[in-house]
Amino acid sequence: MKNILIIGATGTIGQATRHLLLTKTNYHLTLFARTAHQLIINHDRETSISGDLNHKKELLKAMQKQDIVLVALSGDLPKYVQNIINIMQEMKVSRIIFIASMGIYNEIPDNIGASGNLKQNPYLKKYRQAADLIESSSLDYTIIRPGWFDQGTETYEITTKGEAFGGHDIAINSIADFIVKLIIHDAFGIKQNYGINRPNF
């Protein structure tokens, strides 16, 4: 059995991945968020921790005995991610899956909507900075760059860093499905940076 820490557990991706892990695995989940105490949890399989990523003691508590850390956040990402990296290294937890955004490498072609690229959308700068921090760390990372979330069909394709996106949107459940595959299969996706989208056929 694996112990999975979901940082950003009350968010869209955190919740979708949580429910899929509860369905498809027997893993224990630690749910970390500012308002994690509001979640209704399965006490046999889940622990909730309401905490602040700027408080080292709270993050240390959450990181105890974890095997994999999923980070699906918004906000001051470079600062949060550096705090997470520091605690993971201190606690000797090596596996991290980080949810970034499409466009941070200007990989969206014109026919899909190049206005979503970093060079035209400065909002993505913090996602790029956080991804750069993770890639330059010693952690066994996987970075995922999803398209815009929707509830559409769950067909999806995976692209590698430097490869253009084939579609603009992605179902939330597709992102969760890919994350769960990464969590279940230990060697899958180590030191990789993937895009995920629903291709336009």
Side-chain angles (χ1 to χ4, degrees), residues 102 108-117 120 168:
M102 72 172 181
I108 307 172
D110 289 341
N111 65 312
I112 292 173
S115 61
N117 283 320
Q120 292 155 290
H168 184 273

Side-chain angles (χ1 to χ4, degrees), residues 67-80:
D67 298 302
I68 300 173
V69 179
L70 168 64
V71 180
L73 292 170
S74 58
D76 190 357
L77 286 175
K79 183 177 181 180
Y80 294 157

Side-chain angles (χ1 to χ4, degrees), residues 18-19 21-23 25-31 36 39-48:
R18 170 198 176 194
H19 291 305
L21 284 168
L22 289 174
T23 301
T25 76
N26 66 345
Y27 303 160
H28 184 274
L29 312 181
T30 299
L31 311 174
L39 296 170
I40 299 172
I41 66 171
N42 177 340
H43 290 280
D44 293 329
R45 303 239 343 248
E46 296 180 297
T47 302
S48 64

Side-chain angles (χ1 to χ4, degrees), residues 2 4 21 27 68 97 179-186:
K2 296 177 182 176
I4 314 299
L21 284 168
Y27 303 160
I68 300 173
I97 300 170
I179 293 169
V180 171
K181 287 177 180 175
L182 290 165
I183 289 172
I184 290 174
H185 302 289
D186 292 333

Side-chain angles (χ1 to χ4, degrees), residues 139-150:
L139 300 178
D140 292 332
Y141 66 83
T142 305
I143 293 169
I144 301 175
R145 293 168 283 114
W148 284 18
F149 309 163
D150 66 15

